Structures are given as structure tokens and as C-alpha cells.
């Protein structure tokens, strides 16, 4: 193929887009690439990694009802201590408190004495403070009854490093984007003494403002400390330390392992907001209801608040007001599940290289291939990339960008193919002007899509044919005003055709007051016989309602009769000259037509042939008779929909339906 100047121009357009796209991708400008990638993962991950039906986590939520019952926030520490004491009495595996207890109690009697600013060395005041209830001491005492993990937050200014168990690393931590700060703010020393573990409750949002990750590890000063969810699991398994493997980096948390990526964070598989109540108990129920406390036995219990006034709500992909404790609960479920997403530091380079290859192939296809073929091939390439990314997640839990590289390739292909498509459009317009006066518009379009085809080929396929007819319509037309007849028929046929299409059928043609419809053509339709029968039942019901309208009642519109049969037929474009129709030919079509007329003899509205009936549930049809239709040499059983016999008295023919007989066609 000679590379003409026009092809060079459109290839240059595609190449320019490729250069711009790669530059934006490498630089990370406008966060477009990251936002698109994360939005795609938000939609795909719930499908690829469905949550486990059994969650080990129970959330105790200090909700608005709890605040209304026990006081506004901040709660009296004595109330919080009582809540923790009752949780501990239920013998959970571990308690995790997603609340920063860094300030001393101000509301208990002892706290009020201290806050008066009196001389703490004065023996009378000191004795009084020690004798009065102390909220902080009460919390510390409650925490001694069960293994508890307390939270700390990162402090950009210098601060104390919270205590922690050793992290035994077989080499330096390779996490250049790890969350770090000069220090941390932790719980009060009096409370911290009773804690079994300490984890970072910091949550950082992505470029679009949504929280999707929790830290596995953080750096405070130069020391690594665990995230909250990780520490909760360590304490629940009674592990004495963490172990960090290198090459690849894996963090061992008791019997669990979690991969350490560049940011040492976990991409949380978040539950939909509607499922939170399944694992959540309001705090007021724990305080007042022993039955609710029984649900905490042996559970990982996380305590936090979903009340807006507490300030713990975060914007996440599942809700703009997600309580931080629910995020931590999702993190624990993700770590204890068998699907932990990971994104190694080398993945961005792979994605950029893949985007470049996809773009180059797309440009070549746009230049050298026909538009339809090129579009299909580019689509297949993009699907192949997304499928490969899906496979990588299912097999290796790798979070490869499924949408970014294909999107760049599609835009590059569109830019490159613009000139070629414009030229093809000019050619199609010329072909349309030449033939549209001789062929139906739909056929002209198909000829344009496939210029080498002069006549559409037929195929043999299984179909369900349906014929409808209005009983006594000829007599109605003879006694009625023509305008009224046309108005009546327009409304009736609109109802019938809409129902056929809604049930997946194709309206082949309108035959006076009747409709010929096909199911399972031109495209495959699962359960096409059942769909046809359901459509027939809907048509009968709708036509009965239509008969009650003023115009139908005035003209005396009679009932609708329907015949249905399944079988093989030749389907395709039939005709010649200026008239070409897509239709079906074969015995199944003739049989369905004969069955429609057979309703007159049985006082039924729906008559079903044996092949269609065999595809239905056994209890869904009633046998009417064994008959021999005109043009057929063999007898067939005829059926109707169960419990759909007409209310009027059966005719003589119906009374002898069990006897074989010949029935003329209609």
C-alpha cells in the first residue's frame, strides 16, 4: 500500500495526540490519569472482589440516637468508659477505638476540679480530685478487661513517637511514598498504659477528594508504626511483632500477609453504605441491652461515631458521608479476606508503555484498514487490554489501569481516522443517492455497510412465530365509519407491537388487523418460546383493556386471537425489485397462522403448538386436542395457556377436543 500524503497527515494527527497524552500521563498533570484509574476501580472492584458473607468485624456506632440519650459530643468520659466496660464484658477478640483520646477529661467531677485552676499541690484539692469519679481513670480501668488498640494521628510538627511492637524487617522498607510526619499525637499516658496496641487513624484522600486507602505502615520521625486496622489484627491474633519481607515486600500480621506498595497503604474494598447496618450496633443498645452485647462475643469490635457532629465523616466512593470507623472496618475485612489489591511501583511504567503500544497500533489500523474493520480491531485491542488487566487482578491482585490506556488509544484512533472517515462518508452519500429510490432505506444502509453484497443471505435458525388477529374485524369495518376504523386500528396495533418489542420479539409485518412477529430473530433470544407466550398473555390483557375504551366500545371491537409455534425457519431478506423484507419462511410460520384461526373452535384466545409447548413449564399449558391442520399430514397436539380458557360456554368442537380430527386453516 502506497503511503499517500493524506495518510501521512492523519497519522501525524494521531502521533501528535499520542505525544500529548504520554506527556500528560508521565507528568501527572491535572491528575486526569489518576482520577480516571481510580474511578474505574471504584466500579470494577466490587464486581471482581465481592465481599465475604461472614464479616469478623462489629462496629459500635456512637450515633445521633446515642448522643440524644447520653449527652452531646464530646461525651463524658465516664459514659465512654461504661460503654467500653460493657463491650469488654462481652469477651470480644479485640477492641479498636477509632477516637483520639489525647485531651484530658473535662467533664467528670475530678476533671472539673482540675479545670478550676486550683493549686494541684494543695492537699485538700488533690484528695478531693482523687476521691471524685475520674473519666480518664475509668477508661483506663475498662481497657484492662480486654485487649484494646488505641489510635494516634500524625503531627507535622515534632512530637512523641507512640509506643509500638517491633517491626522485624529483613531489609530497608522500600516505600518512597509512605505517609510520614515528624511526630504523632497519641492518647493520654494514663489511658495509653492500658492499651495493647497503637495504630495510625490518619486517612488521606486521593486527588479527587475521596478516601480509598488506609495506611499499613507510617513513619513518625524515623520509626515505622502500624496503621490502625493492621494493629487491630495483630492484637486480635496475639502476635508479638510484625515481620516485613523484602523482594517482594510483604507485611506479616500473625497468619495474614499484606503486600507493601510504594505508599505502604491498603486499597480498601469498601462495602456499599446500605450494608453497614449488618455489622453495626448503636452504642446506646450496648449500654442498655444485654442481648446486643451478646453479639460481640469473639468479634473484632471497632468503636467510633457516624454522627456528623463528631467530625469523623469522610468522602468515599460509596458515600460522601462515610464514618471513619466504617472505613477501618472495611480495611479489616479486606485484610482478612483472600483478595488484597496491590499496585507495585513498576506498574505506572507498564501502563505508559502499554498506552504507547496501543496508540501506535490504533494509528496504523486507522491508516491502513477499512473503517469498520479498523474500529472493530481497535475495540478488540482495548477489550484485550482490559481483559488482561482483569486477569492480572484475579490471578495476582494487581491493580492495572483498565481504562486509561484504552481511552488514550481510542482518542488517538479517532483523531487519526477522521480524514479517512470523512472520505468514506462522501462515498456513502454518493451510493445512497444512487440507490435509495430503488431500495428500502434499511436495506440501502446495509448495502452501504457491506458494499459487496447485493442481496442479504438467509440462514436457518430456530424461531418462535406468532400471529395475532381480531375476531370479527371484517364485519366491524363494514358497519363502521372508515375514519373511526383507522383510528381504532392505529391504537390497537401500537399496543400490540409495543408489547412484542418489549418482550424481545421482532414485528415482521402488519397484516391488516393482524401482526406477524418473530422471536429469536434476527438475534438470539434466550427462552424465546416463553417470551412469546408472555407477550401473548400481555397482548390479550392489554387488548381487553383497550376494548373498554369509548371508541372500541362504540365500534364493538372483539377479542384478540393468537397462534404460537416454535421450529426451524429460513430467515433473511426476501423480495425483489424495490421491495425487500426481512422475514421467515417455513412450516413453523404456516403452523402458527393455522393455530391462530383454531382459537375459534376452542373458544380460546391463545393457541400453542406442540414444539412451543414443550419449551414451557409443564404446568403452564393445558392440552386442548389432537388435530390435523390443513396442509399437514400428521396429527399434532394443541395447547393453550393454563387457566386461560374463555369464560363463555365451550363450542361443540371444544367438547370433543380429545378426539383426533382435521381442522381447516383460517
Amino acid at each position: 500500500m502506497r503511503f499517500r500524503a493524506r495518510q501521512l497527515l492523519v497519522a501525524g494527527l494521531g502521533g501528535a495526540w499520542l505525544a500529548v497524552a504520554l506527556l500528560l500521563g508521565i507528568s501527572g498533570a491535572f491528575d486526569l490519569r489518576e482520577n480516571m484509574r481510580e474511578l474505574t476501580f471504584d466500579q470494577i472492584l466490587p464486581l471482581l472482589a465481592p465481599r465475604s458473607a461472614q464479616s469478623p468485624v462489629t462496629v459500635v456506632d456512637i450515633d445521633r440516637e446515642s448522643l440524644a440519650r447520653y449527652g452531646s459530643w464530646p461525651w463524658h468520659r465516664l459514659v465512654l468508659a461504661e460503654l467500653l466496660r460493657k463491650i469488654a464484658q462481652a469477651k470480644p477478640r479485640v477492641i479498636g477505638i477509632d477516637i483520639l483520646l489525647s485531651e484530658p477529661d473535662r467533664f467528670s467531677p475530678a476533671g472539673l476540679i482540675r479545670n478550676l485552676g486550683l493549686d494541684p499541690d494543695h492537699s485538700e484539692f488533690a484528695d478531693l480530685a482523687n476521691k471524685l469519679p475520674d473519666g480518664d481513670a475509668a477508661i483506663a480501668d475498662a481497657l484492662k478487661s480486654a485487649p484494646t488498640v488505641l489510635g494516634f494521628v500524625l503531627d507535622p510538627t515534632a512530637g512523641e513517637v507512640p509506643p509500638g511492637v517491633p517491626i522485624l524487617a529483613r531489609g530497608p522498607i522500600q516505600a518512597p511514598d509512605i505517609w510520614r510526619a515528624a511526630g504523632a499525637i497519641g492518647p493520654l499516658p494514663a489511658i495509653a498504659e492500658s492499651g495493647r496496641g497503637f495504630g495510625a487513624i490518619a486517612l488521606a484522600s486521593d486527588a479527587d477528594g475521596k478516601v480509598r486507602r488506609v495506611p499499613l505502615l507510617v513513619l513518625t520521625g524515623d520509626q515505622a508504626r502500624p496503621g490502625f486496622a493492621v494493629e487491630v489484627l495483630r492484637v486480635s491474633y496475639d502476635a508479638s511483632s510484625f515481620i516485613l519481607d523484602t523482594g517482594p515486600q510483604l507485611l506479616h500480621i500473625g497468619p495474614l500477609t499484606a503486600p507493601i506498595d510504594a505508599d505502604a497503604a491498603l486499597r480498601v474494598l469498601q462495602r456499599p453504605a446500605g450494608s453497614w447496618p449488618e455489622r453495626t450496633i448503636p452504642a446506646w443498645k450496648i449500654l442498655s441491652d444485654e442481648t446486643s452485647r451478646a453479639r460481640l462475643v469473639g468479634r473484632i469490635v471497632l468503636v467510633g461515631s457516624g454522627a456528623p457532629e463528631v467530625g469523623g465523616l469522610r468522602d468515599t466512593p460509596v458515600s460522601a458521608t462515610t464514618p471513619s470507623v466504617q472505613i477501618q472496618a472495611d480495611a479489616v475485612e479486606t485484610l482478612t479476606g483472600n483478595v488484597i489489591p496491590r499496585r507495585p511501583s513498576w506498574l505506572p511504567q507498564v501502563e505508559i508503555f502499554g498506552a504507547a503500544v496501543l496508540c501506535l497500533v490504533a494509528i496504523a489500523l486507522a491508516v491502513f484498514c477499512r473503517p469498520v474493520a479498523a474500529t472493530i480491531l481497535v475495540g478488540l485491542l482495548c477489550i484485550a487490554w482490559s481483559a488482561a488487566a482483569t486477569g492480572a487482578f484475579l490471578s495476582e491482585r494487581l491493580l492495572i489501569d483498565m481504562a486509561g490506556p484504552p481511552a488514550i488509544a481510542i482518542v488517538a484512533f479517532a483523531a487519526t481516522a477522521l480524514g479517512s472517515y470523512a472520505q468514506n462518508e462522501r462515498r456513502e452519500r454518493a451510493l445512497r443517492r444512487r440507490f435509495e429510490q430503488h431500495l428500502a432505506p434499511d436495506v440501502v444502509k446495509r448495502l452501504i455497510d457491506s458494499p459487496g453484497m447485493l442481496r442479504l443471505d438467509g440462514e436457518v435458525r430456530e424461531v418462535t412465530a406468532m400471529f395475532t388477529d381480531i375476531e370479527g374485524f371484517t364485519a366491524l369495518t363494514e358497519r363502521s365509519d372508515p375514519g373511526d376504523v383507522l383510528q381504532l386500528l392505529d391504537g390497537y396495533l401500537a399496543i400490540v407491537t409495543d408489547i412484542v418489542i418489549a418482550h424481545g420479539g421482532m414485528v415482521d409485518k402488519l397484516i391488516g388487523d393482524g401482526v406477524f412477529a418473530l422471536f429469536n430473530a434476527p438475534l438470539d433470544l434466550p427462552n424465546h418460546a416463553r417470551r412469546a407466550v408472555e407477550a401473548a398473555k400481555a397482548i390479550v390483557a392489554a387488548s381487553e383493556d383497550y376494548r373498554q375504551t369509548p371508541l372500541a366500545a362504540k365500534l364493538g371491537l372483539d377479542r384478540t386471537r393468537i397462534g404460537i409455534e416454535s421450529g426451524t425457519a429460513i430467515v433473511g431478506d426476501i423480495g425483489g425489485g424495490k421491495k425487500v423484507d426481512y422475514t421467515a419462511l417455513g412450516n413453523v410460520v404456516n403452523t402458527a397462522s393455522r393455530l391462530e384461526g383454531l382459537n375459534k373452535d376452542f373458544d380460546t384466545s391463545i393457541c400453542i403448538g406442540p414444539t412451543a409447548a414443550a419449551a414451557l413449564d409443564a404446568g403452564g399449558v393445558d392440552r386442548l386436542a389432537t388435530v390435523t391442520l390443513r396442509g399437514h399430514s400428521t396429527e399434532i397436539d394443541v395447547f393453550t395457556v393454563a387457566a386461560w380458557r374463555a369464560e363463555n360456554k365451550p363450542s361443540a368442537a371444544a367438547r370433543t377436543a380429545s378426539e383426533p380430527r382435521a381442522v381447516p386453516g383460517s
Side-chain angles (χ1 to χ4, degrees):
M1 180 180 294
R2 186 166 53 90
F3 203 85
R4 298 191 295 267
R6 181 187 62 81
Q7 292 173 313
L8 182 61
L9 175 62
V10 295
L13 289 174
W17 163 250
L18 172 60
V20 171
L22 291 180
L23 180 62
L24 291 175
I26 294 173
S27 65
F30 310 112
D31 299 315
L32 293 176
R33 180 164 161 251
E34 178 183 352
N35 289 343
M36 178 182 291
R37 181 183 68 240
E38 295 301 334
L39 288 174
T40 303
F41 290 151
D42 292 342
Q43 303 302 317
I44 297 299
L45 285 180
L47 302 177
L48 299 182
R51 62 186 177 89
S52 173
Q54 298 295 328
S55 170
V57 183
T58 297
V59 173
V60 175
D61 182 13
I62 304 174
D63 58 359
R64 281 188 159 181
E65 178 67 18
S66 301
L67 297 180
R69 289 172 179 246
Y70 293 93
S72 59
W73 193 262
W75 254 1
H76 288 202
R77 291 282 171 87
L78 292 174
V79 177
L80 183 59
E82 180 65 11
L83 174 65
L84 296 173
R85 185 182 66 81
K86 291 192 173 183
I87 293 174
Q89 287 176 349
K91 303 300 181 183
R93 283 172 58 186
V94 64
I95 302 173
I97 304 177
D98 185 36
I99 301 171
L100 182 62
L101 301 174
S102 60
E103 298 293 331
D105 183 19
R106 295 179 295 162
F107 300 105
S108 65
L112 290 173
I113 290 293
R114 287 192 294 267
N115 290 337
L116 289 177
L118 301 175
D119 183 5
D121 295 328
H122 196 289
S123 59
E124 293 182 1
F125 296 140
D127 291 342
L128 179 60
N130 291 332
K131 293 178 181 178
L132 293 175
D134 187 333
D136 294 334
I139 288 178
D141 185 63
L143 298 185
K144 295 176 182 177
S145 301
T148 305
V149 174
L150 300 168
F152 67 86
V153 296
L154 299 178
D155 185 3
T157 62
E160 294 184 1
V161 177
V165 299
I167 299 178
L168 306 178
R170 295 187 172 95
I173 300 176
Q174 301 296 327
D177 300 325
I178 190 172
W179 302 2
R180 65 183 72 216
I185 301 174
L188 290 170
I191 296 176
E193 290 177 357
S194 299
R196 287 278 299 275
F198 304 88
I201 56 176
L203 296 173
S205 58
D206 290 336
D208 60 356
K210 297 186 182 299
V211 175
R212 298 180 176 90
R213 293 167 176 80
V214 300
L216 295 172
L217 297 174
V218 297
L219 284 181
T220 57
D222 59 351
Q223 297 187 38
R225 288 293 182 264
F228 183 74
V230 169
E231 183 71 345
V232 165
L233 285 171
R234 181 195 67 81
V235 174
S236 74
Y237 290 116
D238 198 24
S240 59
S241 64
F242 296 100
I243 299 176
L244 180 63
D245 288 336
T246 57
Q249 292 193 125
L250 293 174
L251 181 66
H252 294 267
I253 315 158
L256 305 177
T257 58
I260 298 296
D261 296 333
D263 57 0
L266 171 72
R267 217 296 185 173
V268 180
L269 301 176
Q270 296 181 335
R271 278 182 177 230
S275 69
W276 294 341
E278 298 175 9
R279 67 182 181 196
T280 303
I281 304 175
W284 66 266
K285 287 189 175 182
I286 299 297
L287 288 166
S288 61
D289 181 20
E290 185 175 352
T291 303
S292 296
R293 294 196 291 271
R295 294 169 54 188
L296 306 180
V297 177
R299 306 282 291 172
I300 296 174
V301 179
L302 302 185
V303 181
S305 177
E309 52 265 46
V310 178
L313 303 183
R314 301 291 185 269
D315 186 8
T316 69
V318 298
S319 174
T321 55
T322 303
S324 61
V325 67
Q326 297 290 354
I327 299 175
Q328 298 291 355
D330 286 333
V332 172
E333 289 185 359
T334 302
L335 289 167
T336 55
N338 57 3
V339 179
I340 300 179
R342 62 190 186 96
R343 188 169 169 80
S345 58
W346 48 264
L347 267 187
Q349 288 76 22
V350 172
E351 293 167 351
I352 292 173
F353 177 77
V357 172
L358 286 177
C359 283
L360 291 174
V361 175
I363 291 171
L365 291 173
V367 171
F368 295 112
C369 294
R370 296 176 63 86
V372 173
T375 302
I376 293 174
L377 290 174
V378 170
L380 291 175
L381 281 174
C382 294
I383 292 173
W385 173 274
S386 298
T390 301
F393 177 81
L394 294 176
S395 61
E396 301 295 332
R397 308 304 185 225
L398 292 175
L399 286 177
I400 300 176
D401 190 353
M402 299 179 182
I408 295 173
I410 289 172
V411 176
F413 173 74
T416 306
L418 184 61
S420 298
Y421 285 175
Q423 183 184 22
N424 291 338
E425 182 64 23
R426 289 194 296 270
R427 178 180 59 81
E428 290 173 4
R429 285 199 298 268
L431 187 60
R432 192 184 305 275
R433 285 194 301 268
R434 179 178 178 184
F435 290 105
E436 64 184 355
Q437 294 182 359
H438 305 283
L439 296 173
D442 290 344
V443 178
V444 172
K445 182 179 182 303
R446 297 175 73 173
L447 286 175
I448 290 173
D449 292 340
S450 302
M453 181 176 58
L454 296 178
R455 182 185 178 95
L456 298 175
D457 293 334
E459 61 173 327
V460 176
R461 66 185 298 132
E462 183 179 349
V463 300
T464 296
M466 171 196 290
F467 279 88
T468 76
D469 188 58
I470 300 175
E471 191 169 81
F473 190 77
T474 301
L476 182 150
T477 61
E478 293 174 351
R479 66 175 182 264
S480 305
D481 178 74
D484 289 343
V485 172
L486 291 180
Q487 182 181 351
L488 176 73
L489 193 58
D490 285 345
Y492 172 82
L493 292 177
I495 292 173
V496 174
T497 55
D498 287 347
I499 291 174
V500 169
I501 293 171
H503 285 76
M506 182 193 77
V507 177
D508 186 288
K509 56 177 61 69
L510 306 179
I511 311 170
D513 61 304
V515 173
F516 170 36
L518 291 173
F519 292 78
N520 203 44
L523 302 177
D524 290 338
L525 181 67
N527 302 314
H528 50 88
R530 180 179 59 80
R531 298 278 191 95
V533 172
E534 292 296 327
K537 291 163 64 177
I539 290 170
V540 171
S543 63
E544 288 301 310
D545 291 339
Y546 188 65
R547 291 177 64 191
Q548 307 306 314
T549 60
L551 181 59
K554 170 187 172 183
L555 300 184
L557 180 66
D558 212 332
R559 68 192 180 106
T560 298
R561 304 191 309 250
I562 301 175
I564 298 172
E565 178 59 323
S566 299
T568 57
I570 299 174
V571 295
D573 284 339
I574 307 297
K578 297 182 180 180
K579 181 63 175 175
V580 178
D581 286 330
Y582 184 90
T583 188
L585 301 174
N587 184 56
V588 62
V589 178
N590 298 330
T591 301
S593 176
R594 300 285 191 269
L595 291 171
E596 178 273 314
L598 204 60
N599 285 290
K600 294 183 294 185
D601 298 324
F602 296 114
D603 288 330
T604 53
S605 295
I606 302 173
C607 216
I608 306 171
T611 306
L616 305 174
D617 295 336
V621 293
D622 288 338
R623 179 180 173 277
L624 293 173
T626 300
V627 301
T628 303
L629 299 176
R630 189 180 69 178
H632 291 68
S633 59
T634 59
E635 299 173 346
I636 65 170
D637 289 334
V638 180
F639 301 83
T640 190
V641 178
W644 270 64
R645 297 294 298 271
E647 294 294 331
N648 55 310
K649 184 178 179 181
S651 65
R655 289 195 297 269
T656 59
S658 61
E659 300 177 4
R661 59 194 182 89
V663 178
S666 57

